[in-house]
Amino acid sequence: KANTDIQNSGLSVTALEYLNSTVLIYFQYANGMLTNSQVNNLRWNCLGLYNIPAYSINGDTSFLTDLAVMSQTTTSAGQFVQQTMDQVAADQALLFIGTQRDFAGRAYSPGHHAACAFPSLGGTVGHEMAHNFGCHHDRITEGAADNDGHYYYGNRWTDGAGKDTGDIMSYATYRLPNFGNPSVSVDGFPTGIAAGQPKAADCARVLRENAAAMAGYKSPMSVPVITTQPTGVSVSSG
């Protein structure tokens, strides 16, 4: 409701302005996590905010229903998402939902569609968008066995104070604003585990390796170009 005044830190702004500024903060935070993790070939850019057409969930409060609507063209809402992605050359579509759902967010992994509750957290936004690149949760949450040959997991460990700690892809009690990277340590603990190790967890590598493919998913649409400028002419009356 763009013309409804709301209060934010004592300043009266429209709901749309609040939405715009808040989403940009989410993206700044998510990009800060990339910087913290030494992911240098990827940054998320917000190409625009659009009001998705109304659609029915028939009482289903699962984000998976919303993701299905977004990614399919069998509904007007899904058609709108796909057409808008084409028009603005968006490689990922992130749906913000202001009503109750089953989790803080969900995403296809890999894929190009994610959904988050609003208001949310910058860490949640980065977490869900990273799923689209193929990043997973930590091995404990996923129930994954050691030595499975994958390194797309979040990392989780017990710190010096005995706290359950992890990177942003983990379900640890204390999550750092990082994607796991064996070369990046916090308080003496590596945030990731290199590939080839039994508990390999290197989401920063997954993001780096898949950045180019993600960026090439949608190309800008070609538009008409004037190659020869028109010239004036004189015609007889009638």
Side-chain angles (χ1 to χ4, degrees):
K1 297 180 179 179
N3 56 356
T4 302
D5 286 341
I6 61 173
Q7 295 296 318
N8 179 34
S9 301
L11 299 176
S12 180
V13 295
T14 67
L16 181 59
E17 290 171 338
Y18 171 70
L19 177 64
N20 278 318
S21 60
T22 303
V23 169
L24 290 177
I25 291 172
Y26 293 161
F27 274 70
Q28 290 171 358
Y29 191 93
N31 283 329
M33 295 194 300
L34 295 174
T35 300
N36 295 342
S37 313
Q38 298 181 358
V39 179
N40 300 320
N41 64 335
L42 165 66
R43 289 297 180 271
W44 282 297
N45 298 299
C46 181
L47 300 180
L49 298 176
Y50 303 88
N51 186 20
I52 189 172
Y55 59 91
S56 174
I57 60 173
N58 295 319
D60 185 356
T61 59
S62 172
F63 268 129
L64 296 178
T65 299
D66 302 287
L67 290 175
V69 169
M70 290 176 67
S71 60
Q72 297 173 1
T73 58
T74 55
T75 65
S76 59
Q79 292 172 1
F80 173 82
V81 172
Q82 299 309 307
Q83 290 170 0
T84 304
M85 290 181 73
D86 289 337
Q87 289 169 0
V88 301
D91 303 309
Q92 295 177 270
L94 178 61
L95 175 64
F96 287 103
I97 300 172
T99 55
Q100 185 65 40
R101 289 294 190 272
D102 53 347
F103 290 97
R106 287 270 195 168
Y108 288 136
S109 180
H112 300 275
H113 302 85
C116 288
F118 187 88
S120 192
L121 298 171
T124 301
V125 169
H127 173 112
E128 300 303 338
M129 291 195 296
H131 274 313
N132 287 167
F133 287 75
C135 293
H136 289 226
H137 299 133
D138 62 88
R139 287 178 176 272
I140 295 174
T141 301
E142 297 276 343
D146 293 350
N147 289 307
D148 63 357
H150 298 298
Y151 53 84
Y152 50 41
Y153 299 104
N155 192 26
R156 189 171 181 174
W157 66 93
T158 302
D159 72 1
K163 294 188 299 185
D164 177 29
T165 308
D167 65 19
I168 199 63
M169 296 306 299
S170 76
Y171 268 25
T173 304
Y174 299 92
R175 281 180 278 186
L176 302 175
N178 296 70
F179 296 102
N181 184 339
S183 300
V184 177
S185 295
V186 174
D187 295 331
F189 290 87
T191 59
I193 300 174
Q197 299 297 313
K199 297 181 181 295
D202 193 348
C203 282
R205 177 176 172 179
V206 173
L207 291 167
R208 290 195 306 269
E209 290 178 341
N210 292 298
M214 180 64 77
Y217 177 63
K218 293 288 186 181
S219 299
M221 295 180 68
S222 60
V223 297
V225 177
I226 299 174
T227 57
T228 303
Q229 294 296 324
T231 57
V233 297
S234 296
V235 296
S236 300
S237 177

